[in-house]
């Protein structure tokens, strides 16, 4: 503190390390397993058929092969939904850090099952392992941004949470690179490709115990002020943390009426329904519609990035539909199609991809935050599951015009955010709660005046 003005917390070495360890060890799993089956799919289906022939002396029926492969793909989001349902009670009862440590058990088990499947001629191990690794991804998607958001100072919270999304993208990139036929995407090596999912989990098992539990969890939910102070001192790398301790006490006092907020209570709580609707709309838009966002989310603001991202995604959908329709008559339009796909990816990485996790962490106080993440991730995994099936039919039935449908879906969250969502950058959790209450009060007053 200088001249009576509190010094804003800085990005310390400890906070940087725990962010990287948590994001690589957990968030990376989701991105890696999301796309790791894409390239070796044909080789794995051949293995399914060979195993069936080894057991029964006949080839597998095509319909049965497609059914089993459908289970292999769909069990990942099903496991994600199961993990999401487990995340809230486990995170609130056991702690954020502890559940992340226990969660490493799932990818280690899955990696062993993946690695052994070909040697023991058992494709059922792959299907079950996909469910197991999906559970791990579901827990990680809920708990990692919660853990990082609660440990970060308000001036760095957005950037720190976005790191977890960057590692999801990094996991996708690594999986695509390793899946190439010149690396591990071969008939001999694809079990190794799947086995590698356990490496980040082993990395986190070794390193995460060095770091503290969430200070907010320790003080507000466990009532252990001394341990919360020690955790803050470790994270900030200084002894003077009384300003932040006072902020935690204020948050604890502010939310006393809402203690022990379960998912059902949160859904039924009238004072939280607008925030809840906001994260549902934004999470839905996230699916229908990185690195640069890490540096701008705390300077440009959450609302600006969401509007920019959804706007870019919407425009690129229209341009992509036009380019694909003209591609059959104008051959060189394929280059524009590729450019518009890249434009869409840029738009998604600017806002719809990373920012919803920041919003969920900020729009709810400690007692309701885990339930809010749970609801957000339920929407995430259910949407993931149904869109995977729906878009395949849209692509066949209406072809390029499927992107016009996506345009209108992108515009729904754009319009909602523009009218309903205020800016929350660089504010404490209590300040954000008061801002949201004032925002809703002004809207209610406006409606009353219009009614008159």
């Amino acid at each position: 503190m200088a001249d009576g003005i509190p010094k804003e917390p800085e990005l310390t070495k400890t906070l940087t390390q725990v962010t990287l360890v948590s994001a690589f060890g957990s968030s990376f799993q989701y991105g890696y397993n999301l796309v790791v089956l894409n390239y070796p799919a044909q080789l794995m289906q051949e293995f399914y058929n060979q195993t069936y022939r080894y057991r029964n002396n006949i080839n597998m029926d095509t319909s049965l092969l497609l059914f089993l492969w459908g289970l292999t793909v769909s069990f990942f989001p099903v496991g994600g939904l199961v993990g999401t349902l487990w995340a809230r009670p486990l995170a609130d009862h056991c702690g954020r850090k502890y559940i992340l440590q226990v969660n490493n058990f799932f990818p280690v088990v899955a990696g062993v099952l993946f690695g052994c499947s070909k040697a023991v001629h058992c494709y059922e191990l792959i299907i079950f392992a996909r469910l197991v690794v999906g559970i791990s991804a579901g827990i990680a998607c809920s708990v990692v941004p919660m853990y990082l958001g609660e440990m970060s100072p308000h001036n760095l919270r957005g950037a720190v949470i976005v790191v977890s999304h960057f590692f999801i993208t990094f996991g996708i990139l690594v999986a695509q690179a390793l899946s190439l036929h010149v690396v591990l995407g071969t008939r001999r090596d694809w079990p190794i490709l799947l086995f590698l999912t356990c490496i980040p989990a082993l990395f986190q098992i070794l390193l995460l115990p060095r770091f503290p539990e969430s200070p907010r969890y320790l003080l507000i939910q466990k009532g252990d002020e001394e341990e919360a102070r020690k955790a803050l001192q470790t994270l900030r790398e200084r002894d003077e943390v009384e300003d932040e301790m006072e902020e935690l006490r204020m948050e604890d006092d502010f939310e006393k009426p809402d203690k022990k907020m379960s998912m059902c209570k949160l859904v039924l709580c009238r004072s939280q329904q607008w925030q809840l609707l906001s994260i549902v709309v934004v999470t839905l838009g996230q699916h229908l519609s990185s690195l640069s966002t890490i540096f701008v989310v705390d300077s440009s603001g959450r609302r600006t990035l969401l509007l920019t991202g959804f706007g870019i995604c919407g425009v690129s959908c229209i341009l992509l539909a036009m380019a694909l329709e003209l591609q059959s008559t104008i051959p060189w339009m394929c280059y524009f199609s590729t450019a518009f796909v890249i434009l869409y990816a840029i738009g998604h990485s600017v806002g719809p991809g990373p920012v919803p996790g920041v919003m969920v962490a900020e729009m709810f106080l400690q007692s309701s935050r885990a339930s809010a993440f749970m609801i957000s991730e339920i929407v995430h995994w259910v949407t993931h599951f149904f869109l995977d099936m729906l878009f395949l039919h849209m692509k066949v039935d209406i072809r390029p015009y499927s992107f016009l449908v996506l345009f209108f879906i992108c515009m729904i969250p754009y319009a909602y955010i523009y009218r309903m969502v205020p800016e929350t950058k660089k504010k404490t959790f209590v300040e954000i709660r008061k801002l949201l209450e004032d925002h809703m009060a002004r809207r209610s007053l406006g409606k009353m005046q219009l009614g008159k």
Side-chain angles (χ1 to χ4, degrees):
M1 185 178 294
D3 301 325
I5 301 175
K7 182 181 178 182
E8 283 199 336
E10 298 176 349
L11 183 63
T12 62
K13 181 180 178 180
T14 303
L15 181 58
T16 302
Q17 289 174 342
V18 70
T19 300
L20 294 176
V21 169
S22 302
F24 177 65
S26 295
S27 300
F28 180 91
Q29 300 283 349
Y30 172 54
Y32 188 87
N33 288 287
L34 188 65
V35 302
V36 72
L37 299 185
N38 289 357
Y39 284 101
Q42 188 63 42
L43 300 175
M44 293 177 67
Q45 290 176 49
E46 289 177 9
F47 164 68
Y48 283 25
N49 188 46
Q50 290 168 3
T51 301
Y52 188 84
R53 187 168 61 244
Y54 174 80
R55 296 173 182 174
N56 303 286
N57 295 319
I58 58 172
N59 287 327
M60 183 182 291
D61 184 74
T62 303
S63 60
L64 177 59
L65 177 60
L66 292 177
F67 172 74
L68 291 174
W69 186 249
L71 288 181
T72 306
V73 174
S74 63
F75 265 30
F76 181 65
V78 170
L81 181 59
V82 173
T84 295
L85 295 174
W86 290 357
R88 189 207 67 81
L90 290 173
D92 278 349
H93 181 70
C94 303
R96 281 65 163 135
K97 174 189 166 184
Y98 180 78
I99 188 57
L100 285 179
Q101 288 178 289
V102 173
N103 190 42
N104 291 311
F105 167 79
F106 293 106
V108 170
V109 170
V112 173
L113 294 177
F114 283 137
C116 294
S117 58
K118 188 175 181 181
V120 299
H121 303 284
C122 186
Y123 52 74
E124 291 87 354
L125 292 181
I126 297 175
I127 297 173
F128 180 69
R130 287 285 289 176
L131 177 68
V132 172
V133 82
I135 292 172
S136 172
I139 293 173
C141 283
S142 295
V143 178
V144 171
M146 192 191 315
Y147 180 51
L148 296 181
E150 291 176 4
M151 291 196 303
S152 307
H154 64 86
N155 59 311
L156 299 171
R157 190 186 307 124
V160 170
I161 295 175
V162 166
V163 172
S164 65
H165 184 271
F166 166 70
F167 271 89
I168 293 174
T169 307
F170 181 56
I172 293 173
L173 176 64
V174 171
Q176 289 177 329
L178 294 179
S179 298
L180 296 174
H181 71 276
V182 294
V183 190
L184 294 176
T186 63
R187 186 170 281 100
R188 185 191 66 180
D189 294 333
W190 63 259
I192 300 175
L193 176 70
L194 302 185
F195 167 79
L196 291 178
T197 190
C198 70
I199 300 302
L202 295 172
F203 172 83
Q204 191 173 72
I205 287 172
L206 293 174
L207 296 182
L208 191 61
R210 298 175 50 212
F211 302 105
E213 179 57 88
S214 159
R216 277 184 164 77
Y217 172 79
L218 292 170
L219 191 146
I220 298 175
Q221 290 182 265
K222 288 299 182 182
D224 193 337
E225 185 165 324
E226 189 57 36
E227 285 299 315
R229 179 178 282 104
K230 289 180 181 177
L232 271 177
Q233 289 171 340
T234 301
L235 291 167
R236 304 297 179 256
E237 297 180 359
R238 54 187 169 87
D239 294 331
E240 179 51 53
V241 292
E242 196 54 38
D243 291 332
E244 288 192 78
M245 287 297 295
E246 184 59 31
E247 179 191 329
L248 297 186
R249 296 188 196 102
M250 287 176 58
E251 183 178 341
D252 189 24
D253 292 337
F254 192 82
E255 68 166 355
K256 272 191 167 68
D258 297 330
K259 286 285 186 181
K260 297 181 180 178
M261 182 74 74
S262 66
M263 187 182 76
C264 293
K265 288 181 180 178
L266 179 60
V267 171
L268 297 174
C269 180
R270 292 183 62 85
S271 64
Q272 305 264 20
Q273 285 177 353
W274 172 72
Q275 295 99 302
L276 204 56
L277 177 61
S278 296
I279 65 168
V280 169
V281 170
V282 172
T283 303
L284 284 171
Q286 178 186 30
H287 282 276
L288 305 168
S289 23
S290 55
L291 182 58
S292 60
T293 309
I294 295 174
F295 301 105
V296 299
V297 67
D298 278 319
S299 56
S300 298
R302 291 78 161 121
R303 185 174 184 271
T304 302
L305 289 176
L306 284 170
L307 290 174
T308 303
F310 278 119
I312 292 173
C313 288
V315 171
S316 63
C317 282
I318 293 178
L319 296 174
L320 188 56
M322 294 170 59
L324 290 173
E325 178 65 21
L326 295 172
Q327 200 167 290
S328 58
T329 55
I330 307 176
W332 48 264
M333 285 300 293
C334 64
Y335 299 109
F336 284 92
S337 300
T338 303
F340 297 145
V341 169
I342 294 172
L343 180 65
Y344 183 94
I346 292 172
H348 189 268
S349 68
V350 165
V355 176
V358 180
M359 288 183 61
V360 179
E362 292 186 331
M363 294 178 79
F364 296 87
L365 295 178
Q366 188 71 21
S367 60
S368 56
R369 188 172 296 123
S371 295
F373 267 105
M374 182 176 176
I375 293 170
S376 174
E377 290 304 317
I378 287 173
V379 175
H380 170 102
W381 289 106
V382 171
T383 308
H384 184 353
F385 178 80
F386 284 106
L387 281 182
D388 281 350
M389 297 185 294
L390 178 63
F391 191 72
L392 289 175
H393 292 287
M394 289 172 54
K395 189 169 67 171
V396 172
D397 296 336
I398 60 177
R399 296 182 180 179
Y401 299 103
S402 58
F403 289 98
L404 295 182
V405 177
L406 295 183
F407 163 76
F408 288 107
I409 296 175
C410 285
M411 290 299 101
I412 291 172
Y414 182 94
Y416 181 87
I417 293 163
Y418 183 80
R419 289 181 58 84
M420 300 292 291
V421 178
E423 183 55 70
T424 60
K425 68 175 181 178
K426 294 187 178 180
K427 290 181 172 61
T428 66
F429 288 119
V430 174
E431 289 171 343
I432 291 170
R433 182 64 175 269
K434 291 178 179 177
L435 172 68
L436 296 176
E437 289 178 351
D438 292 342
H439 184 74
M440 285 306 298
R442 287 195 300 270
R443 292 195 62 82
S444 299
L445 181 61
K447 289 179 181 178
M448 290 174 60
Q449 290 174 344
L450 286 174
K452 293 178 181 179

